[in-house]
Amino acid sequence: VAPGVITFLSDYGLADESVGVCHGVIARRCPQARVIDISHAVPRQDVRAGALMLRDALPYMPAGVHLAVVDPGVGTPRRAVALAVGEPERVLVGPDNGLLWPAAERLGGARAAVDIGRSRERLEPVSATFHGRDIFAPVAAALADGANLSDVGEQLDVATLVRLAPTRASVRDGVVHARVARLDGFGNVALDAVRDDLYAAGLRVGETVSVASAGTTRRGLYAGAFADVAAGELVLIVDSAGAVALAVNRGSAAAELDLHPGEPVAVEAVRATG
Amino acid sequence: VAPGVITFLSDYGLADESVGVCHGVIARRCPQARVIDISHAVPRQDVRAGALMLRDALPYMPAGVHLAVVDPGVGTPRRAVALAVGEPERVLVGPDNGLLWPAAERLGGARAAVDIGRSRERLEPVSATFHGRDIFAPVAAALADGANLSDVGEQLDVATLVRLAPTRASVRDGVVHARVARLDGFGNVALDAVRDDLYAAGLRVGETVSVASAGTTRRGLYAGAFADVAAGELVLIVDSAGAVALAVNRGSAAAELDLHPGEPVAVEAVRATG
Amino acid sequence: VAPGVITFLSDYGLADESVGVCHGVIARRCPQARVIDISHAVPRQDVRAGALMLRDALPYMPAGVHLAVVDPGVGTPRRAVALAVGEPERVLVGPDNGLLWPAAERLGGARAAVDIGRSRERLEPVSATFHGRDIFAPVAAALADGANLSDVGEQLDVATLVRLAPTRASVRDGVVHARVARLDGFGNVALDAVRDDLYAAGLRVGETVSVASAGTTRRGLYAGAFADVAAGELVLIVDSAGAVALAVNRGSAAAELDLHPGEPVAVEAVRATG
């Protein structure tokens, strides 16, 4: 592992000292480690949202130890793991509940894994409720300090890791059948579709589109930038992560269309009939 | 003091630049200092909540300067202080309003103290409203840069420091009479009781308990982990700080039981009569 | 530029990974850079609020690269710029929409500028929506790594930079006619007036003042500190940035007086008639 960098993603929020305590534990075990907080605002216990955020963020992070904790099963027998992936000098640390899987796939796939649930790096006594502090942070720090996977846990078969497969949009009869993948802090709604799906449905930049979800159907513009529509209008763009996204210029598409992760959204062109 | 590490806790929140400005002031005075943010989400001006958070977090922090600011009396004659404690290489910096007291007790007790209200490290002119920037941060930075207590203030008698004594639960006739000590960001409610109090009341893991507060009495399970109960159910656990805590699996015990710091809560076993 | 320090202000918030991704991009380009987050809580797309926060915070920051992103025009032809200012070893990086202007004025004025919209430091492909990641962060990192302005963009005429002039209170007939300049995280309301304006209107510390805004007129005390009035009472003080500010002790003046940036507020003494 490239010495010294630990990235950290969680659903701990910033309303208490959980994130700070993990930083402290890391600094005690590996004083030279530099910690980059990706985000601690994953929706609480939403493993899928955390997995997508981690997958999308890691390509922009330096090589190092990638610590991630969204862990509704803390205190149950779910495994705690550290993974080596195809890209060199990168190791992922977190619960074995699918959280790490899409990121590992993006980084070349899981190559080796260890079970760190009984790691010698654990803080004793291990609590039933805060494995970020007691297991994940100290193991991440040990790896950043130069430890090998085999130093921090028991080898396990990567084929037994819990997998999480993101959904993918389909295109039929000129309609993109997508699902909501992620919401960002501005209320922009990323779908599980990419630019090629729009192309396959015959949609081109500059066209008016119809966006249908559970309760509403609304028109918007397939555009190149938020500011291509007036304030308050709906726009369909390819976002900064390469996903097709719904946005309301200077507003919140999530709020206005009442969209949540997993919900179906159908997108098609609006064309004159006759 | 161990050079270079400053931990920082406050009630400044992250809605404006107050925390960032303190980081800047520290970086100007001691460029090599590393700052670890414990939390800035102490409830506004709640000295007791800040004191408990600081006390619980510091054992996980590396030795260094421990800066803490929850300061409803800023601009009044309350003293500003720096304290050496029993554990070597640790110094606490903050207002003399009890905020530092429980943490100092946990770290071996206050051994020496200085009044930093007129420290030569102050930023002039000192404002009436932002001593974090003008007094506490620059003094913390000077200490992290190697200054001694006597370099940054006037010696004072530790017996004159403002004390803050956390409440402690009592057990009578099989009932634990506790008070709410802290709420965390998930709505979990820590009481001022520990595992031994439950034991003294005859409670054992796996038993159903009755939890009575001002307006409600509710049943829950004394369990080892949140996930030992179904979503939405009340659980009594020993939390990651060693405190007895009330939680609702995937919910907020604070919201559902309408509990706030200081409120009384009675816990006892539910047993068949006859 | 002084090597190594980058300060970072934005309206990205902390509800998603945008800030973390910019930190990652910086760490990849300039691993030795230290990033100080000023705040990411500028009200969304409020260039004026961001400009004032940046202007007020930078004097407390070490010399270095000052990255700022509040960018409602992202994806439109607005320019992206880097500026050298009168104070040595400081460079500002951000959109050319006025955001940087008041800070540049405070730091000695813009001395030289380059258009970084097509910088060789950009991350390709440049998205239409996230220039913080694709342009501003990598250019800031290159500058922190020792690059010159001419290395990261095309020279432009500083006379063509977009300017933003903060409003300034006026005093007529013993009344200070001000506007709301900024709100902080505690609900304190900074006006575009300074101590000398109060003096010119004949106001002295200790006097009762009348504060009139759109819907309400309320009495308060012109005092030296928040705590000079009882909880819940209105106080007029000179705040930590040197601005005249309205505060409610242990409350929110912004909420209680329903004040927002730009709104007019008139302040005058309350004196016995006759």
Side-chain angles (χ1 to χ4, degrees):
Chain A
V1 175
V5 173
I6 298 174
T7 69
F8 185 14
L9 172 147
S10 79
D11 68 347
Y12 288 148
L14 296 176
D16 63 34
E17 74 274 27
S18 300
V19 168
V21 164
C22 291
H23 277 251
V25 167
I26 289 168
R28 287 170 68 96
R29 177 63 181 80
C30 182
Q32 76 278 18
R34 174 181 179 174
V35 183
I36 298 175
D37 292 295
I38 295 176
S39 176
H40 299 288
V42 174
R44 185 181 170 195
Q45 301 193 336
D46 188 337
V47 173
R48 182 170 294 267
L52 297 179
M53 188 186 283
L54 188 70
R55 177 197 67 183
D56 289 349
L58 288 192
Y60 294 98
M61 297 293 145
V65 179
H66 303 302
L67 168 64
V69 188
V70 180
D71 193 12
V74 62
T76 68
R78 69 93 187 86
R79 291 189 297 195
V81 296
L83 312 179
V85 293
E87 279 199 19
E89 307 297 319
R90 290 191 190 261
V91 174
L92 280 61
V93 175
D96 180 28
N97 59 11
L99 177 67
L100 308 178
W101 186 260
E105 290 285 287
R106 178 71 57 93
L107 297 172
R111 291 278 183 88
V114 292
D115 183 333
I116 60 174
R118 298 182 176 281
S119 176
R120 66 187 191 198
E121 297 289 342
R122 299 189 313 174
L123 297 195
E124 302 285 357
V126 172
S127 68
T129 57
F130 194 5
H131 287 189
R133 178 191 71 187
D134 298 333
I135 297 178
F136 299 118
V139 164
L143 291 165
D145 193 42
N148 296 311
L149 280 192
S150 58
D151 297 326
V152 300
E154 296 292 317
Q155 194 180 339
L156 60 82
D157 182 352
V158 297
T160 67
L161 290 169
V162 174
R163 297 171 183 220
L164 184 155
T167 61
R168 274 285 293 127
S170 61
V171 180
R172 292 190 305 277
D173 301 329
V175 181
V176 180
H177 297 275
R179 287 182 181 275
V180 174
R182 294 189 49 201
L183 312 178
D184 76 10
F186 286 169
N188 300 325
V189 176
L191 305 178
D192 61 353
V194 296
R195 189 191 309 266
D196 283 355
D197 297 321
L198 300 182
Y199 192 87
L203 291 168
R204 301 295 179 270
V205 170
E207 284 189 309
T208 298
V209 295
S210 160
V211 176
S213 56
T216 66
T217 298
R218 194 162 157 181
R219 291 189 175 197
L221 181 71
Y222 176 17
F226 297 134
D228 286 348
V229 298
E233 292 189 2
L234 183 67
V235 61
L236 188 78
I237 57 161
V238 177
D239 76 8
S240 61
V244 172
L246 300 167
V248 170
N249 189 21
R250 301 196 180 221
S252 167
E256 294 192 18
L257 281 69
D258 193 26
L259 290 173
H260 301 91
E263 292 182 351
V265 175
V267 178
E268 62 187 306
V270 175
R271 293 195 179 101
T273 52
Chain B
V1 176
V5 172
I6 298 174
T7 69
F8 185 14
L9 172 147
S10 78
D11 68 346
Y12 288 148
L14 297 176
D16 62 35
E17 74 275 26
S18 300
V19 168
V21 164
C22 291
H23 278 250
V25 167
I26 289 169
R28 286 170 68 94
R29 178 63 182 80
C30 182
Q32 76 278 16
R34 174 181 180 173
V35 184
I36 298 175
D37 292 295
I38 295 176
S39 176
H40 298 289
V42 174
R44 187 183 168 192
Q45 301 193 335
D46 188 337
V47 173
R48 181 171 293 268
L52 296 179
M53 189 187 282
L54 187 70
R55 176 197 68 184
D56 290 348
L58 288 193
Y60 294 98
M61 296 293 146
V65 179
H66 303 301
L67 168 63
V69 189
V70 180
D71 193 12
V74 63
T76 69
R78 69 93 187 86
R79 291 188 299 195
V81 296
L83 311 179
V85 293
E87 280 199 19
E89 307 297 317
R90 290 191 190 261
V91 174
L92 279 61
V93 175
D96 180 28
N97 60 11
L99 177 67
L100 309 178
W101 186 260
E105 291 283 288
R106 177 72 57 94
L107 297 172
R111 291 277 184 89
V114 291
D115 184 333
I116 60 174
R118 297 181 177 283
S119 175
R120 66 189 189 196
E121 298 288 343
R122 299 190 313 175
L123 297 196
E124 301 286 357
V126 172
S127 68
T129 56
F130 194 6
H131 288 189
R133 178 191 71 188
D134 298 334
I135 298 177
F136 299 118
V139 165
L143 291 165
D145 194 41
N148 296 313
L149 279 191
S150 58
D151 297 326
V152 300
E154 295 292 317
Q155 194 180 338
L156 61 81
D157 182 350
V158 297
T160 67
L161 291 168
V162 173
R163 298 173 183 219
L164 184 155
T167 60
R168 274 285 292 126
S170 61
V171 179
R172 292 190 307 276
D173 301 329
V175 181
V176 180
H177 297 275
R179 287 182 182 275
V180 174
R182 295 188 50 201
L183 312 178
D184 75 10
F186 286 168
N188 300 326
V189 177
L191 305 178
D192 61 353
V194 296
R195 189 191 309 265
D196 283 355
D197 297 322
L198 300 181
Y199 191 87
L203 291 168
R204 301 293 180 271
V205 171
E207 284 190 309
T208 298
V209 295
S210 160
V211 177
S213 56
T216 65
T217 298
R218 194 163 156 179
R219 291 189 176 196
L221 181 71
Y222 176 16
F226 298 134
D228 287 348
V229 297
E233 292 189 4
L234 182 68
V235 61
L236 188 78
I237 58 160
V238 178
D239 76 8
S240 61
V244 172
L246 299 167
V248 170
N249 189 21
R250 301 196 179 220
S252 165
E256 294 192 18
L257 282 70
D258 193 26
L259 290 173
H260 302 91
E263 293 181 350
V265 175
V267 179
E268 62 187 305
V270 175
R271 294 196 178 100
T273 52
Chain C
V1 175
V5 172
I6 297 174
T7 69
F8 185 14
L9 173 146
S10 78
D11 67 346
Y12 289 147
L14 296 175
D16 62 33
E17 74 274 27
S18 300
V19 168
V21 163
C22 291
H23 277 250
V25 166
I26 289 168
R28 287 169 68 94
R29 178 61 182 80
C30 182
Q32 76 277 18
R34 174 180 178 174
V35 183
I36 298 175
D37 292 295
I38 295 176
S39 176
H40 299 289
V42 174
R44 187 182 168 194
Q45 300 193 338
D46 187 337
V47 174
R48 182 171 294 269
L52 296 178
M53 188 186 282
L54 187 69
R55 177 198 67 183
D56 290 348
L58 288 193
Y60 294 98
M61 297 292 145
V65 179
H66 303 303
L67 169 64
V69 188
V70 180
D71 193 12
V74 62
T76 69
R78 69 96 187 84
R79 291 189 299 195
V81 296
L83 312 179
V85 293
E87 280 198 20
E89 308 296 318
R90 290 190 190 262
V91 174
L92 281 60
V93 175
D96 181 27
N97 59 11
L99 176 67
L100 308 178
W101 187 260
E105 290 284 287
R106 177 72 56 95
L107 297 173
R111 292 278 184 88
V114 292
D115 184 333
I116 61 173
R118 297 183 177 282
S119 176
R120 65 187 190 198
E121 298 289 344
R122 299 190 312 175
L123 297 195
E124 302 285 358
V126 172
S127 68
T129 57
F130 194 5
H131 287 187
R133 178 190 71 188
D134 298 334
I135 298 177
F136 299 117
V139 165
L143 291 165
D145 193 42
N148 295 311
L149 280 190
S150 58
D151 298 325
V152 300
E154 295 292 317
Q155 195 179 340
L156 60 81
D157 182 351
V158 297
T160 66
L161 291 168
V162 173
R163 298 174 183 218
L164 183 155
T167 61
R168 273 285 291 125
S170 61
V171 179
R172 290 189 308 275
D173 302 329
V175 180
V176 180
H177 296 275
R179 287 182 182 274
V180 174
R182 294 188 51 200
L183 312 178
D184 75 9
F186 287 169
N188 300 326
V189 177
L191 305 178
D192 62 352
V194 297
R195 189 190 310 265
D196 283 356
D197 296 322
L198 300 181
Y199 192 86
L203 292 168
R204 300 295 180 269
V205 170
E207 285 189 308
T208 297
V209 295
S210 160
V211 177
S213 56
T216 66
T217 298
R218 192 161 158 181
R219 290 190 177 195
L221 181 71
Y222 176 17
F226 297 134
D228 287 348
V229 297
E233 292 189 3
L234 182 67
V235 63
L236 189 77
I237 57 160
V238 178
D239 76 8
S240 61
V244 173
L246 301 167
V248 169
N249 189 22
R250 302 196 178 221
S252 166
E256 295 191 17
L257 281 70
D258 193 25
L259 290 173
H260 301 91
E263 292 182 350
V265 175
V267 178
E268 62 187 306
V270 175
R271 295 195 178 100
T273 52

